[in-house]
Amino acid sequence: MRHKYTNALIDETSPYLLQHAHNPVNWHPWKPEVLERAQKENKPLLISIGYAACHWCHVMERECFEDEEVAKLMNESFINIKIDREERPDVDQIYMDAIQMMSGNGGWPLNIVALPDGRPFWGATYVPKKNWLKSLAQLVDLYNNQPEKIQGYADDLARGIKAINLIENKEEGDSFTTERLNDAIGNWSKYFDTYLGGYKRAPKFMMPNNLDFLLHYATANEDDSVMEYVNTTLTRMAYGGIFDHVGGGFSRYSVDMKWHVPHFEKMLYDNGQLISLYAKAYAVTKNELYKNVVEETFIFIKEELTDANGGFYSSLDADSLDENGELEEGAYYVWTETELQQLLQDDFEIFKDYFNINSYGLWENGNHVLIRDKSSEEIAEKHGISGDELINRIDNDLATLKEARQKREKPRLDDKILTSWNGLMLQGLIDAYRYLGDEAYLNTALTNAEFIKENMLKSDGGLHRNHKEGKSTINGFLDDYATVIEAYISLYEVTFNETWLKEAKNLTDYTIEHFQDKDNKLFYYTSDEDASLIRRSVETYDNVISSSNSIMAKNLLKLHKLYHEEPYGDIVRQMVNNVQDNFAENAQSFANWLHLVMYGNNNFYEIAIIGDDHQRLGTEIAKSYIPNSILVGAEREGNIELLKDRYSEGETLVYVCIEGTCKLPVTTAPDALRQIQSFR
């Protein structure tokens, strides 16, 4: 196909950047030589940041960046840079902070105008054409005629960008107590929507790390009210339109209070974290709904986001072509009542009740998004059939819809492979195997772990960020290391293959060398080998994905239990000490950190299994939800301190220990679990 315009993005691999490669705007990727050119020509930078699955990014592209009038102004007056935020979260973090300081709001597309050296002085998210042209013209006039005003504002903003990310190194004080934690959860619970789950607001984000911590807290403290809230949220999410009942997997978030209408993009990182969360919740509750969610999400990942070599792709777009050939959000996923009647025929009435093909499930333009609000038992009773018959009929109906849906134009695929998101999915698969026991999860996990090891690991022991078309690029960021280390430790716990533990330790030591702030012990988001930006960011807030520092702290705590001679334990203590002042008033934004409070105030168990039957016993023990533990095992002694001098000929022994002090060994999983209970 011949294109009227082609710009420098044509040489990139990011699907998002390639989407803009034929805009009339002279886009450039973020590269040092582009910034140097801006300084030579004394032109401001126009930096536009988005991602492939972003609906409003596509809208602004159609309205502005494909428009020749807009392109003429942009090309004459600016050096234009397009950034895939998923490839370059380091740049995105800084400019997102900038726009939030300027306007109080953020989002994507994120559009920034900056001095040639990268310091921003104006920003906006989605802007329609008329306003975009007006804003740019005013900025050009200001830049040319009042440069001192622009310079002053950029100076102030740069200072603010640096200041809001400073972490004070605090002298070691009192640790965060159980009493303070209980108070923090009490404050947090004021925002719980105890009827529909999630928080009392719309849109509703799933926040897996929040629910993961609350599951830990509820089980450790036998807190029925928090546990009920977790179960309500997990059930409502699984019932909602945010979960794809036809093809499996979760969308990004719901625009309403009842988890009904999603923002239809489907991201790898959400689904990896949710597989892990639902698997853990199944281990606690044995709720078959949770198991089904894991199974169906796994099918989605295998069918839609898995590369032939074992890596996982990034996302499916929110938009797809409708019956008129127009890109429309959600077109692939929604159904009219007439369509459903024609496809399901005699089964329609039951399906209608099950998935609310009524005013409750109606979205817009006569389209329905499937949503449940009743249990299978209620629907079966209403229609006078058994529960098994109902499930069989619904499963057949969904298979019919899946076959019909596959004839539609699929959403666009972002097929870049990101290390950190693969780490999150790898962790999800390991947890699915650990708590559900299906070997398919482990086999897929092992293939992915090998893919990361073979394709993302650099010769110097570091990691790449991105992989596409057989080529790995971009120096890894802290979340790439943190998530892979976490997954490799977990993979060791279910396989007892010390290769994965060794890889985790090597990556941890590399991270300490190249990412750590030696004063406050926290970790910078970028390596000391990366080009400097306005600031070297430190990520501590747990957002939709847990902060890279909180994941690293948990990793270091676990490795400290196995390698006492290393400084890992001291590092964790200082990291937590420097951020714990935030816990009381903002627990939900530090949810992943709060596991460390639980570890510190309760027992943390080291479970060592030695003998010929170590694998079977390990698998049996691992099925129990014990978040405050690490599991090690070997046929003889292995290289881990916990396993040394514990082998007994002809026996397989289980030792339950705390900081290396162990109870008498036992020979069965139930006995080991009873010892853990007795420690409490």
Side-chain angles (χ1 to χ4, degrees):
M1 180 180 177
R2 294 178 65 84
H3 296 276
K4 186 175 180 180
Y5 300 100
T6 301
N7 56 51
L9 300 183
I10 197 66
D11 296 321
E12 298 300 300
T13 59
S14 159
Y16 175 68
L17 298 185
L18 289 171
Q19 285 171 14
H20 292 267
H22 298 294
N23 293 167
V25 176
N26 288 334
W27 292 118
H28 300 275
W30 177 272
K31 289 185 177 177
E33 55 266 33
V34 177
L35 303 181
E36 289 167 11
R37 179 186 156 195
Q39 296 192 55
K40 284 179 185 175
E41 297 181 12
N42 192 29
K43 280 187 174 181
L45 301 171
L46 197 160
I47 302 161
S48 183
I49 305 173
Y51 57 102
C54 169
H55 170 71
W56 288 103
C57 299
H58 305 327
V59 174
M60 191 161 181
E61 179 187 19
R62 289 196 299 272
E63 294 181 0
C64 296
F65 304 143
E66 292 179 351
D67 185 275
E68 293 183 352
E69 180 186 5
V70 171
K72 184 174 185 294
L73 175 58
M74 290 175 65
N75 294 340
E76 287 175 352
S77 304
F78 301 91
I79 299 296
N80 303 295
I81 296 176
K82 254 291 169 199
I83 295 175
D84 182 338
R85 68 171 292 260
E86 297 165 356
E87 283 192 338
R88 295 303 306 257
D90 57 328
V91 180
D92 178 65
Q93 283 176 0
I94 290 170
Y95 290 128
M96 185 58 70
D97 281 350
I99 196 171
Q100 288 174 336
M101 290 177 68
M102 286 186 266
S103 68
N105 297 306
W108 299 275
L110 170 56
N111 298 294
I112 292 288
V113 179
L115 296 176
D117 63 7
R119 287 179 295 153
F121 59 86
W122 181 86
T125 53
Y126 163 74
V127 184
K129 175 184 172 180
K130 182 179 177 181
N131 293 349
W132 183 245
L133 283 169
K134 182 180 178 181
S135 296
L136 294 188
Q138 290 172 341
L139 289 166
V140 170
D141 179 67
L142 199 61
Y143 186 82
N144 290 330
N145 298 312
Q146 299 183 58
E148 69 289 343
K149 198 170 186 178
I150 295 278
Q151 185 74 42
Y153 192 52
D155 288 344
D156 290 343
L157 197 54
R159 281 192 290 271
I161 290 168
K162 291 176 183 177
I164 64 170
N165 198 236
L166 291 175
I167 307 292
E168 180 185 350
N169 187 39
K170 298 187 172 101
E171 294 296 324
E172 190 157 351
D174 294 335
S175 59
F176 202 80
T177 63
T178 298
E179 290 72 27
R180 292 178 69 194
L181 179 60
N182 293 339
D183 289 342
I185 303 305
N187 290 332
W188 183 2
S189 67
K190 295 171 186 174
Y191 303 99
F192 293 174
D193 183 340
T194 55
Y195 177 62
L196 291 168
Y199 298 121
K200 298 171 184 174
R201 65 183 183 218
K204 277 193 172 179
F205 287 83
M206 293 170 286
M207 303 305 293
N209 55 34
N210 284 203
L211 294 166
D212 182 62
F213 170 73
L214 291 171
L215 180 69
H216 180 183
Y217 178 86
T219 53
N221 294 287
E222 298 180 348
D223 189 317
D224 293 340
S225 64
V226 171
M227 192 68 214
E228 183 178 2
Y229 167 73
V230 171
N231 279 317
T232 296
T233 303
L234 293 178
T235 299
R236 289 288 191 171
M237 281 164 35
Y239 277 7
I242 198 166
F243 182 70
D244 181 0
H245 299 280
V246 174
F250 287 88
S251 293
R252 185 72 197 82
Y253 60 86
S254 103
V255 301
D256 54 72
M257 293 282 286
K258 64 184 184 185
W259 304 105
H260 180 210
V261 179
H263 185 38
F264 288 91
E265 60 193 6
K266 293 168 91 171
M267 314 299 294
L268 180 68
Y269 61 80
D270 285 316
N271 285 284
Q273 293 180 95
L274 288 163
I275 285 177
S276 182
L277 174 62
Y278 275 91
K280 292 175 184 176
Y282 174 74
V284 173
T285 66
K286 295 299 182 279
N287 186 333
E288 286 294 314
L289 174 67
Y290 301 165
K291 183 179 182 181
N292 292 340
V293 166
V294 173
E295 291 170 346
E296 291 168 32
T297 304
F298 174 66
I299 290 169
F300 159 69
I301 295 298
K302 289 289 285 183
E303 291 181 348
E304 303 292 347
L305 294 183
T306 302
D307 181 76
N309 294 317
F312 298 117
Y313 302 139
S314 294
S315 66
L316 287 180
D317 205 328
D319 298 356
S320 55
L321 295 177
D322 63 15
E323 57 190 10
N324 300 314
E326 299 289 331
L327 274 178
E328 182 181 346
E329 186 178 8
Y332 185 69
Y333 299 100
V334 298
W335 307 90
T336 66
E337 185 168 354
T338 302
E339 281 180 296
L340 293 171
Q341 286 174 323
Q342 291 171 345
L343 287 165
L344 303 179
Q345 297 181 16
D346 292 344
D347 261 1
F348 174 71
E349 289 302 320
I350 291 178
F351 189 90
K352 178 181 178 180
D353 281 351
Y354 196 86
F355 284 116
N356 286 289
I357 311 306
N358 51 37
S359 59
Y360 188 77
L362 183 64
W363 176 31
E364 61 184 19
N365 302 322
N367 289 314
H368 289 79
V369 178
L370 305 184
I371 180 171
R372 298 176 60 189
D373 68 341
K374 295 181 179 64
S375 68
S376 299
E377 291 77 13
E378 289 177 85
I379 302 295
E381 183 178 350
K382 177 180 177 181
H383 288 272
I385 59 177
S386 70
D388 288 344
E389 182 183 348
L390 174 69
I391 296 303
N392 287 336
R393 289 173 71 167
I394 293 297
D395 286 348
N396 289 334
D397 293 341
L398 291 173
T400 299
L401 297 188
K402 187 173 183 179
E403 184 179 352
R405 199 173 76 174
Q406 286 170 341
K407 297 172 185 174
R408 298 175 177 177
E409 190 74 26
K410 281 192 172 185
R412 290 178 290 190
L413 171 70
D414 184 339
D415 62 351
K416 68 176 178 290
I417 296 170
L418 297 174
T419 302
S420 65
W421 296 8
N422 273 250
L424 292 170
M425 179 52 68
L426 177 56
Q427 181 66 52
L429 291 168
I430 295 164
D431 285 332
Y433 168 68
R434 178 170 187 158
Y435 298 118
L436 274 65
D438 190 332
E439 291 283 339
Y441 302 134
L442 179 60
N443 293 336
T444 306
L446 287 167
T447 301
N448 180 250
E450 289 288 353
F451 172 87
I452 294 171
K453 185 165 167 272
E454 295 302 317
N455 294 279
M456 310 311 275
L457 193 63
K458 299 190 298 182
S459 58
D460 70 349
L463 289 169
H464 287 291
R465 169 73 175 177
N466 186 51
H467 183 87
K468 179 95 186 303
E469 296 171 355
K471 188 167 75 171
S472 297
T473 57
I474 306 176
N475 204 22
F477 302 112
L478 182 60
D479 55 344
D480 298 307
Y481 290 83
T483 57
V484 171
I485 292 165
E486 181 177 46
Y488 278 0
I489 293 171
S490 295
L491 189 55
Y492 166 74
E493 289 187 89
V494 298
T495 63
F496 296 140
N497 181 343
E498 286 192 28
T499 296
W500 303 116
L501 195 57
K502 181 180 177 183
E503 292 290 342
K505 187 179 186 303
N506 289 343
L507 288 170
T508 299
D509 293 339
Y510 183 96
T511 307
I512 291 171
E513 181 179 355
H514 291 285
F515 288 81
Q516 191 179 49
D517 182 326
K518 304 307 177 189
D519 293 327
N520 64 27
K521 304 305 181 188
L522 290 158
F523 294 85
Y524 292 112
Y525 190 71
T526 52
S527 163
D528 58 8
E529 297 180 337
D530 287 321
S532 61
L533 301 171
I534 296 170
R535 72 166 189 230
R536 203 171 168 201
S537 298
V538 180
E539 184 187 63
T540 58
Y541 283 79
D542 295 326
N543 205 304
V544 173
I545 299 175
S546 297
S547 67
S548 45
N549 266 289
S550 71
I551 301 172
M552 275 305 302
K554 287 173 66 181
N555 294 340
L556 288 161
L557 186 281
K558 286 195 169 185
L559 292 173
H560 159 69
K561 303 297 182 181
L562 306 183
Y563 303 104
H564 293 289
E565 73 282 1
E566 300 287 358
Y568 303 148
D570 293 335
I571 295 172
V572 174
R573 282 188 289 275
Q574 189 61 54
M575 290 174 74
V576 174
N577 191 61
N578 285 336
V579 298
Q580 69 178 3
D581 285 352
N582 300 284
F583 296 171
E585 297 302 322
N586 198 7
Q588 63 267 39
S589 296
F590 291 85
N592 200 47
W593 289 99
L594 294 180
H595 289 286
L596 292 152
V597 175
M598 298 284 288
Y599 299 158
N601 290 319
N602 300 303
N603 293 325
F604 190 98
Y605 306 104
E606 303 130 18
I607 306 167
I609 310 169
I610 306 97
D612 294 342
D613 207 19
H614 69 288
Q615 192 67 63
R616 183 191 64 79
L617 274 175
T619 300
E620 194 174 340
I621 291 170
K623 285 183 179 179
S624 294
Y625 176 72
I626 315 170
N628 49 327
S629 70
I630 188 162
L631 190 61
V632 299
E635 188 173 326
R636 292 295 181 265
E637 290 196 347
N639 299 310
I640 299 167
E641 191 67 34
L642 271 171
L643 297 172
K644 290 180 178 175
D645 302 322
R646 300 195 190 278
Y647 175 69
S648 177
E649 186 73 37
E651 292 184 293
T652 300
L653 301 177
V654 183
Y655 293 83
V656 176
C657 314
I658 296 176
E659 289 290 340
T661 300
C662 307
K663 291 216 170 195
L664 290 173
V666 294
T667 58
T668 71
D671 284 341
L673 295 172
R674 276 191 287 272
Q675 284 192 337
I676 290 170
Q677 287 291 337
S678 70
F679 258 125
R680 292 180 184 175

